[in-house]
Amino acid sequence: MCASAVGDTIGHFTMRRIITRRLPILFLVVDLLLGPAIAAAPQVDVTYGPLPVFELHSGFWINLHHRLYEEARQRRNADSPGTPKSGKTGKPTLQIAPDSKIVLSSSEQHAWENAISYYAANYVNKDLLFNTELLLLKNQLGDFETCDELSGGKKKSCDAGLPANLTQILEGAAPVYRAHRWPADDRANRAWIKRVAPLVREQGVGLSHRLADIYQTRWPAEKIRVDVSAVANAAGAYTTLDPLRVTIASTDPRNQGASALEVLFHEASHGIAEPVEQAIARECRQRDKPIPRDLWHALIFYTTGEVIKPVMEEEADAPENSAAQNGAKAGSSSSIGAGEGNSRYPQDSEYTPYAKREGLYQRGWENYLSLLTRYWQPYLNGRTTFDDAIAHMVSAL
Ligand SMILES: [Zn+2]
């Protein structure tokens, strides 16, 4: 979502340009990382299908990667002088143990500490979204989700082609994670997927067509891969391009319930909304105005929210869903996802879009919200053209 980066969002499209400019270097890195073997096909039990539009994964390595990254960041934050020791990110904790009763053996402790140290030394100051090395590593770990190793020692097709020391670190941490944390993380991911899947099945195609029409582009022909991970980045979700892949944190309170569908489509919109960014830039150049760097992002937040809203309200008002809500408390689901439990819908049928609920417009986007309401909403209502809407917004900047 990039929600926490409202003030300093560079934008995913900028990343695409950086990558394009650095193509020779990128190919070199890709070559190093990919090695000879490309991805095994995902197993049925890690891909929840068949769904339209998205393919949703709960993959072991990608979850381990994000856990290690998060724990290394938490320790860095806790260690940095001037950081308050209280609060969410300030406490040094052994995140491998979801409750304090789990005690690691000394060899487990050693393997885990090695992995955290490696992440602290190599990745902790790099951004999951904007750093090419982390982007490629994440994609590669996703591709090898069906492998129980990364070195190809047991199975040649499971040689992920990662640097030898990284392979060793991850393979060392894997049994620890698999024994103590992965089962709960995987359950949380599957619970999240299970809750959102019916909505994707019912509404996915219609929403994808609507958004592609709005952005005057085509929705990707292939299903968009979504890696559901217990934790992701600070924003709770992020999207990388070329190839377009979404990562969503299943335990992030911002991504629960009715918001799950909006998070999916907001993130996917990062892959298709380039015409908006280009149009804004073009209009700004024509008027000799500086290009507002977050307007396109505010616009995709606004648009996804407005497109999702009637769908969610209709869903919430459907009699079968009201009945399901009433019966939900009698259910015996073992869902462990954070958020509001098992209900797919809030009690109130009025849907509040993500950006409004999370207060994004109050963090420096107030002006954007009024521009969007005034000039972009008429386009969404079919009362003006795409070009006119963008031109009016830019003139009013
Ligand atoms: Zn975003």
Side-chain angles (χ1 to χ4, degrees), residues 18-83:
I18 291 167
I19 287 173
T20 309
R21 274 204 306 274
R22 291 181 182 166
L23 219 49
I25 300 165
L26 180 71
F27 280 152
L28 184 73
V29 180
V30 169
D31 207 39
L32 285 174
L33 282 172
L34 282 183
I38 300 277
Q43 285 173 350
V44 176
D45 65 348
V46 290
T47 306
Y48 292 76
L51 287 176
V53 185
F54 296 105
E55 57 172 57
L56 303 166
H57 294 243
S58 171
F60 175 81
W61 296 109
I62 226 167
N63 273 263
L64 170 61
H65 170 63
H66 285 97
R67 279 284 180 205
L68 291 170
Y69 180 82
E70 186 193 67
E71 188 166 337
R73 298 240 328 170
Q74 285 186 351
R75 290 199 193 176
R76 179 201 64 180
N77 294 344
D79 291 345
S80 59
T83 306

Side-chain angles (χ1 to χ4, degrees), residues 1-3 9 12 237 239 266-267 270 296-297 300-301:
M1 276 278 181
C2 323
T9 302
H12 306 283
T239 298
H266 170 86
E267 291 302 326
H270 276 277
W296 68 272
H297 199 204
I300 66 168
F301 267 114

